[in-house]
Amino acid sequence: MAEVDVRLDRVTKRFHDVVAVDDLSLDVRRGEFFSLLGPSGCGKTTTLRMIGGFEEATSGKIFLAGTDVTGLPPYRRNVNTVFQNYALFPHLSVYENVAFGLRRRRVASGEIRHQVGSMLELVELPGYEARRPSQLSGGQQQRVALARALINHPQVLLLDEPLGALDLKLRKQMQIELKRIQTEVGITFIYVTHDQEEAMTMSDRIAVMRGGHIEQLGAPEELYERPGTAFVAGFLGVSNLLDGDVAEVDGDYSSVRLTGGTLLRAPRPAVNGARRVQVGVRPEKLRVVPISDGSAAGSGDLNTIEGTILDASYIGVSTQYLVETRDGQRLTVYSQNLETSGAGEALADGQQVRLTWKPQHTFVIGQTDDPTAQGALNA
Amino acid sequence: MSAGAVPIEARARTASGPAPLNRPNLRARLGRMVLPVYTGLVVIYLFLPIAVMIAFSFNNPAGHQNITWQGFTVEHYLSVWGRPDITGPMITSLAVALVSTVLATTLGTLMGLALTRYEFRGRGLTSTLIFLPMASPEVILGASLLSLFVSVGVQRGFLTILIAHVMFNISYVVVTVRARIAGFNRTLEEAAMDLGATEWTTFRKVTFPLIFPGILAAALLAFALSIDDYVITTFAAGATRTFPLWVFGVSRIGVPPEVNVLGTLIFVVAGFFILVNVWLQRRSAAAARSRPT
């Protein structure tokens, strides 16, 4: 069991009548790249600000490397933050910005020079010491903010949507860069973002947050392949959800009868005894076959569902289909263009097709009555 | 004007060659002259009184009145220092201006910080009332101050002038400083504390340097308002003479050229500070231009 760097113990934060963070408990392991992922207003930034000491928890405790820091001001906590808009000091040079933390600890000036130099090298900005923040591009400011925080060798580095202000191409580049730096310095990173792709690219583990609590916590592939709720399924990529009832459970698998009557094989529901469930499958796991092919229906162990193509759009690497089943449910299919050589060979609108996929690619979600979960799927 | 009759096709053909003289061209040239001429007139309007003041500081008047040009001399620049009836009020004015600027700037800055940053009972009321000294006529303020001082039984003099000047200067300082603080990004203070700075160090190293231009502007404004205030000072002064009070008093007999000398000197000092300010701004603008692509 790895050591725990940050522990939140039943932390709640209320702003007047609004509960921003609701009884949240969380362990972040040492050296881990941990992301708090969720839509705006889910409480992820408030959680980060409580760890940094900028917001006081209404109740609950926060531990840093085993020490209770709940009531301590930011300058008494061994954490540093990279702020959303960098918050570089505009009246100080790059050198003085990076040296700010060391000067507060009265480090000797020779030592400061040495450390600032090597830190600017780490973020690939040597020679920029004399510049003012206003003379730097967004990406460069981002690197200075990172250097300014990392030079203090914090126990934990907090990052609040640090790439939000950058354009897409630079963001991709900085994602790789951030991951490289994190591996190089070996410091625990807690990263707040609303961008699921960004979180998946960099994180060791992700906590998906909604309404002030953690909806699901796990490794990126775990969250993607086996989402526990409709919200997580919808927030991390596109998913097809079909309503049904658990007909039978045998071993690790179960049979689910959809509302339209089709019987599917799926892993057994995580929630024991759940009857009303939703069965989900990611669009890229589906294979689409024209029915006229005469291939054996329901061949072998594959799940099969029949429908009509409503829309086919060729988008280069893949073709995207919208298929409507007999009982009116709609599924999205991403079909890789492995064998086709042009748009002409894609299946046409109105064509009768059979969708097949492996039972292990199916995930089962205990049915919720929460209408907002359905709304999130359309996002 | 005959050039204006050149048909459009002809103009189009010669478009690649030198442009022919035509009406739009002339209008454009006239148009280009309007702004400089207008600006020049405004500048003359503003600076003519100052030019007259400077010129007459070098005049050699025959009698009491320094209003007709008699001849050039620098004599008054030397004689002014030997006239305590002039330098005395000037020193009083400078002392009042300096002390009231320091006090009003300190108090006003703290008030500005409190009013923009904190929620407290009476905040809205204070915000509104702070405009009152700026909005009410000086003569009313002065008269009320006088009756206040008399009813409390304070001996009027340097101290009462100082109190009056701090009072009206605070409003201007609060308003000026508050504008600067409003544009201040609080995350910068969080960043400083995140990097290990206590509240006091954060104020010293981040907040103060960043709002300093606002504080400086407020201080200069306060100084300028204080050093030439006449109306309120009359009511608060008692037997004490500030420079404006002395000039007004003596103007009934005739203003001696030494007054022009002191006026010119103040103008030169102020002008020097303005030039320094312009130079500093040019330098920082030049630094900003070297921004990388």
Side-chain angles (χ1 to χ4, degrees), chain A residues 44-299:
Chain A
K44 57 192 192 298
T45 295
T46 308
T47 305
L48 195 80
R49 287 175 60 79
M50 284 195 287
I51 300 171
F54 306 114
E55 303 285 357
E56 216 173 311
T58 313
S59 66
K61 289 202 174 303
I62 298 169
F63 297 89
L64 258 181
T67 318
D68 185 355
V69 298
T70 314
L72 294 184
Y75 49 85
R76 297 244 179 286
R77 298 183 185 205
N78 193 14
V79 295
N80 287 111
T81 308
V82 176
F83 293 88
Q84 192 163 10
N85 292 310
Y86 322 133
L88 296 177
F89 305 124
H91 60 301
L92 299 178
S93 64
V94 166
Y95 182 91
E96 284 304 325
N97 263 283
V98 177
F100 195 91
L102 298 182
R103 292 217 189 279
R104 300 289 78 75
R105 284 189 276 127
R106 311 197 183 289
V107 175
S109 63
E111 181 60 24
I112 291 179
R113 203 173 313 123
H114 172 73
Q115 286 197 33
V116 172
S118 58
M119 200 42 78
L120 286 178
E121 232 156 78
L122 178 76
V123 299
E124 292 171 347
L125 277 180
Y128 281 74
E129 284 87 346
R131 301 275 183 100
R132 288 290 173 100
S134 60
Q135 294 168 258
L136 302 178
S137 69
Q140 289 168 334
Q141 290 184 31
Q142 171 62 63
R143 287 157 195 266
V144 175
L146 194 62
R148 184 179 70 170
L150 281 176
I151 200 165
N152 307 293
H153 301 289
Q155 186 83 34
V156 181
L157 186 75
L158 309 175
L159 301 103
D160 185 8
E161 307 228 12
L163 308 183
L166 305 179
D167 62 60
L168 186 65
K169 200 174 159 204
L170 197 55
R171 202 154 67 217
K172 297 267 180 217
Q173 197 184 320
M174 281 302 292
Q175 285 171 10
I176 299 166
E177 193 83 333
L178 267 179
K179 187 66 189 168
R180 169 185 74 81
I181 289 169
Q182 196 259 343
T183 316
E184 210 166 311
V185 296
I187 291 174
T188 311
F189 275 33
I190 301 183
Y191 191 97
V192 160
T193 181
H194 65 266
D195 182 333
Q196 48 98 9
E197 206 181 309
E198 195 168 287
M200 303 240 285
T201 311
M202 293 186 286
S203 315
D204 298 316
R205 289 195 304 157
I206 300 171
V208 181
M209 289 186 69
R210 183 166 74 122
H213 66 268
I214 293 175
E215 189 90 359
Q216 191 176 357
L217 193 156
E221 57 274 18
E222 196 180 323
L223 295 181
Y224 185 80
E225 301 291 346
R226 286 180 299 283
T229 67
F231 176 79
V232 175
F235 199 76
L236 280 88
V238 178
S239 64
N240 299 301
L241 291 181
L242 307 163
D243 294 328
D245 291 293
V246 178
E248 193 187 337
V249 177
D250 60 294
D252 290 339
Y253 279 85
S254 63
S255 302
V256 178
R257 186 170 300 281
L258 300 185
T259 357
T262 317
L263 201 65
L264 297 178
R265 298 272 296 159
R268 63 180 296 163
V271 187
N272 261 328
R275 301 284 307 171
R276 294 283 299 157
V277 292
Q278 284 185 303
V279 176
V281 60
R282 297 289 183 184
E284 73 278 9
K285 308 280 206 252
L286 292 168
R287 274 183 61 83
V288 54
V289 189
I291 283 184
S292 53
D293 256 20
S295 56
S299 62

Side-chain angles (χ1 to χ4, degrees), chain A residues 362-379:
Chain A
T362 318
F363 53 85
V364 183
I365 291 166
Q367 182 77 282
T368 64
D369 300 324
D370 190 348
T372 56
Q374 294 297 323
L377 288 178
N378 303 327

